[in-house]
Amino acid sequence: SGLEDTVKKTISENPVVVYSKTWCSYSSEVKSLFTRLGVEPLVIELDQLGSEGPQLQTTLEMLTGQHTVPNVFIGGKHIGGCTDTIKLHQTGELEPLLSEAGAT
Amino acid sequence: SGLEDTVKKTISENPVVVYSKTWCSYSSEVKSLFTRLGVEPLVIELDQLGSEGPQLQTTLEMLTGQHTVPNVFIGGKHIGGCTDTIKLHQTGELEPLLSEAGAT
Ligand SMILES: N[C@@H](CCC(=O)N[C@@H](CS)C(=O)NCC(=O)O)C(=O)O
Ligand SMILES: N[C@@H](CCC(=O)N[C@@H](CS)C(=O)NCC(=O)O)C(=O)O
Ligand code: FES
């Protein structure tokens, strides 16, 4: 579908992409983790897109199996949510993914 | 107003009250902290009450200055949100509040 192609294009053209909601603290937490690491992700706020927001969220669920926010991609690969990203950071696996994707 | 009286009655009659949203991870985090401490808070899911949910949230904001969830009360006193409750736990101040309120 059109939205699937949009998501695939977005995640392949940007090293780090975060699908988020402005009022969600887990989304804020993962955004601020990237900021602390000196990374500027492309952030797409699903609650700021009108009717396209829920459609995009459904598309993300079809592509990744994950309907929740935040939904994080690095180097075109689906990473998961906030707890997944934090865990990767704690085990030292996040930084190599970021440098491989050209984000740092 | 009627809702203000409802909230005042609820927080005075129950040792621990959490106003929450079912899909919010910060709300889940604070609920599971209480569970780990052996406390069974009264949980009110604002997204399960139809049109009364947003009205209740506005009432909570008028009473506490806080419009966000989770909104936690112990012994009738306004505690704050998730990070506030976790901080009190980390400094050892939460347990005395819970036993004073008769929650443990
Ligand atoms: N463990 C996940 C939790 C994600 C999660 O539950 N997100 C919530 C908001 S904090 C959500 O999208 N809820 C909507 C839903 O459950 O439908 C993470 O760390 O990202
Ligand atoms: N630091 C606060 C953050 C609370 C917060 O921002 N809650 C969000 C959901 S996770 C909320 O209610 N957002 C609605 C809004 O901002 O209007 C806490 O720990 O509870
Ligand atoms: S909506 Fe509360 S943490 Fe996401």
Side-chain angles (χ1 to χ4, degrees):
Chain A
S1 84
L3 274 183
E4 259 175 66
D5 293 337
T6 309
V7 171
K8 285 179 181 157
K9 190 169 143 66
T10 303
I11 61 177
S12 67
E13 289 180 359
N14 296 280
V16 183
V17 181
V18 177
Y19 291 91
S20 164
K21 288 188 180 167
T22 54
W23 36 261
C24 165
S25 300
Y26 261 38
S27 297
S28 309
E29 270 193 29
V30 86
K31 286 184 277 188
S32 61
L33 172 61
F34 284 126
T35 309
R36 283 201 307 280
L37 297 174
V39 170
E40 278 182 32
L42 175 70
V43 175
I44 296 168
E45 300 289 2
L46 294 174
D47 60 316
Q48 304 284 302
L49 303 172
S51 64
E52 199 182 312
Q55 290 168 1
L56 206 46
Q57 210 171 346
T58 307
T59 304
L60 286 166
E61 182 168 12
M62 269 158 43
L63 290 171
T64 66
Q66 181 185 325
H67 71 277
T68 56
V69 288
N71 204 334
V72 178
F73 296 82
I74 299 175
K77 284 202 294 284
H78 179 235
I79 299 296
C82 174
T83 45
D84 305 305
T85 308
I86 288 175
K87 265 193 211 117
L88 286 175
H89 178 49
Q90 284 165 346
T91 57
E93 291 169 79
L94 188 63
E95 277 72 358
L97 285 173
L98 290 169
S99 55
E100 211 181 284
T104 47
Chain B
S1 82
L3 274 183
E4 259 174 69
D5 293 339
T6 308
V7 171
K8 286 181 182 156
K9 188 170 145 63
T10 303
I11 63 178
S12 68
E13 290 179 358
N14 296 281
V16 183
V17 181
V18 177
Y19 291 90
S20 164
K21 288 188 181 165
T22 55
W23 37 260
C24 166
S25 300
Y26 260 38
S27 296
S28 309
E29 269 193 33
V30 86
K31 285 184 278 188
S32 61
L33 170 61
F34 286 127
T35 308
R36 284 201 307 280
L37 297 173
V39 169
E40 278 183 36
L42 175 70
V43 175
I44 295 167
E45 301 289 2
L46 294 173
D47 59 318
Q48 304 284 300
L49 302 172
S51 64
E52 199 181 311
Q55 289 168 359
L56 206 46
Q57 208 169 348
T58 307
T59 305
L60 286 166
E61 182 168 13
M62 269 156 45
L63 289 172
T64 65
Q66 181 185 325
H67 72 276
T68 56
V69 287
N71 203 334
V72 178
F73 295 82
I74 298 177
K77 283 202 292 282
H78 179 236
I79 299 296
C82 174
T83 46
D84 305 308
T85 309
I86 287 175
K87 266 194 208 114
L88 286 175
H89 178 52
Q90 284 166 345
T91 58
E93 291 169 77
L94 189 63
E95 278 72 355
L97 285 173
L98 291 170
S99 53
E100 211 181 288
T104 47

